[in-house]
Amino acid sequence: MITTFAAALNAGLRRALEDDPKVVLMGEDIGHLGGVFRVTDTLQKDFGNNRVVDTPLAESGIIGTAFGMALRGFRPVCEIQFDGFVYPAFDQIVSHVAKIHFRTQGKVIAPLTIRIPFGGGIGSVEHHSESPEAYFAHTAGLRVVTPSNPADAYLMIRQAIALDDPVIFFEPKRRYWDKADVDFAAIDDIPLDRARVCVLGADVTVVAYGGTVGTALTAAKIAAEEGHSLEVIDLRSLSPIDFDTIEASVTKTGRLVVVHEAPVFAGLGAEIAARITERCFYHLEAPVLRVGGFDIPYPPAKLEKHHLPDPDRILAAVDRSLAA
């Protein structure tokens, strides 16, 4: 069935609510309104106010309440309206949610999923186009994932909710309206912590995640017309990272370009570059290169096209790698 990314998420949330009465959705305006991006549209009408809860405008309170519910056996799914609004809840997430399992020597679990629309590309104002994934990936005790397409959105949200670990679920907001074929009867064909090879190639490995996967796929098509073969990997999981899949690809191609919207400085690309340099040192034909946002606060909407990675910037990095 052809459906949008947002509708696929809605279907995944609906399925989770149907499958487990302990699943509860919480967030600002997610009930009657259906959320800012309408991801939770009609769910409150179908499951009631006690399963799909409109909360006050208080992110710290939302996560704190959900954390307590998770400790009592519920599986809360919280929506943060925009990426830049998660910071009031940051202390709850990194100081308490992430640490409870370790702190109790494994006796207590916190099956809490936190949905965060992230990234730019929609012409929005500041605090609505952030890429804060590195903060959470740096925090031990959290799983951090992001789908890049409708099919993965449907499967991955269900996998995240079913886990006993807390999951930060980043949704690339500029992909909400992308359409693709989704098999709603499909079983989980790939574990939540595994990367996916989207396009096979021989010359350069390109690793991307979230909103930049589509950009990398466009770059791969252009490169093919120019006689270069790019292998594109959708990372999917940002913590843990599936380094085995990346290593297998780089062992074959000898080159790696990592793409993300977040600033390059201290971003996930740095961790991937360091690990792959260690693991593939004798296979690398060129330094690992990174393509990302600039080391500035997110720019005004009219300038974001210059800030976000595009196919030209990816292909420029590919050319540099091939020329090394």
Side-chain angles (χ1 to χ4, degrees):
M1 178 180 178
I2 302 297
T3 191
T4 65
F5 190 110
L9 281 171
N10 180 283
L13 292 168
R14 177 179 294 276
R15 180 71 178 272
L17 287 162
E18 292 170 345
D19 289 348
D20 189 344
K22 293 295 187 180
V23 173
V24 178
L25 310 189
M26 304 171 61
E28 301 162 4
D29 298 321
I30 71 166
H32 179 72
L33 181 66
V36 172
F37 297 101
R38 305 300 186 266
V39 170
T40 55
D41 192 35
T42 74
L43 295 180
Q44 188 180 73
K45 177 176 70 70
D46 294 340
F47 293 93
N49 298 353
N50 292 329
R51 300 287 305 283
V52 182
V53 182
D54 278 317
T55 66
L57 304 181
E59 286 78 13
S60 180
I62 294 169
I63 301 303
T65 301
F67 180 46
M69 293 175 66
L71 298 182
R72 298 296 295 173
F74 288 90
R75 292 184 177 272
V77 182
C78 299
E79 177 182 297
I80 303 296
Q81 277 193 348
F82 285 91
D83 33 45
F85 300 169
V86 73
Y87 302 119
F90 192 76
D91 179 56
Q92 292 280 5
I93 296 170
V94 304
S95 298
H96 303 290
V97 173
K99 294 178 172 57
I100 190 66
H101 191 68
F102 185 83
R103 185 183 296 150
T104 61
Q105 297 182 333
K107 296 181 177 66
V108 176
I109 60 173
L112 169 60
T113 301
I114 302 171
R115 296 180 40 242
I116 306 175
F118 86 123
I122 64 168
S124 194
V125 296
E126 64 177 353
H127 308 313
H128 295 68
S129 300
E130 309 290 327
S131 295
E133 60 271 19
Y135 295 133
F136 298 102
H138 183 71
T139 303
L142 297 175
R143 288 179 182 252
V144 184
V145 302
T146 177
S148 68
N149 59 77
D152 268 355
Y154 173 69
L155 290 174
M156 289 173 67
I157 190 63
R158 292 174 54 205
Q159 290 173 312
I161 295 170
L163 282 177
D164 288 339
D165 299 323
V167 180
I168 307 298
F169 195 92
F170 282 110
E171 301 167 5
K173 63 176 77 76
R174 62 169 156 151
R175 301 300 177 191
Y176 274 140
W177 301 276
D178 286 3
K179 293 183 178 180
D181 188 25
V182 178
D183 181 3
F184 292 115
I187 60 173
D188 300 342
D189 63 337
I190 182 171
L192 187 61
D193 59 356
R194 293 294 301 277
R196 187 191 302 275
V197 179
C198 301
V199 175
L200 291 172
D203 296 334
V204 181
T205 300
V206 178
V207 171
Y209 59 83
T212 59
V213 174
T215 310
L217 291 172
T218 299
K221 291 180 181 178
I222 298 172
E225 296 171 358
E226 298 174 349
H228 299 309
S229 173
L230 306 188
E231 181 149 298
V232 179
I233 296 176
D234 179 356
L235 203 56
R236 300 175 77 249
S237 176
L238 312 185
S239 181
I241 291 175
D242 179 9
F243 287 108
D244 289 343
T245 294
I246 304 173
E247 179 181 357
S249 177
V250 173
T251 299
K252 176 177 63 174
T253 66
R255 292 174 167 83
L256 174 61
V257 174
V258 186
V259 185
H260 53 65
E261 290 188 24
V264 167
F265 182 78
L268 287 185
E271 177 65 24
I272 295 171
R275 293 290 186 105
I276 293 302
T277 298
E278 290 178 4
R279 296 173 66 154
C280 301
F281 184 79
Y282 293 106
H283 296 280
L284 284 168
E285 302 290 341
V288 178
L289 300 179
R290 293 169 290 159
V291 179
F294 300 109
D295 191 22
I296 58 172
Y298 200 84
K302 289 184 178 180
L303 299 176
E304 71 173 352
K305 67 180 181 179
H306 302 292
H307 178 74
L308 297 173
D310 60 14
D312 285 341
R313 288 177 60 194
I314 296 173
L315 291 172
V318 167
D319 288 342
R320 285 174 56 204
S321 182
L322 290 171

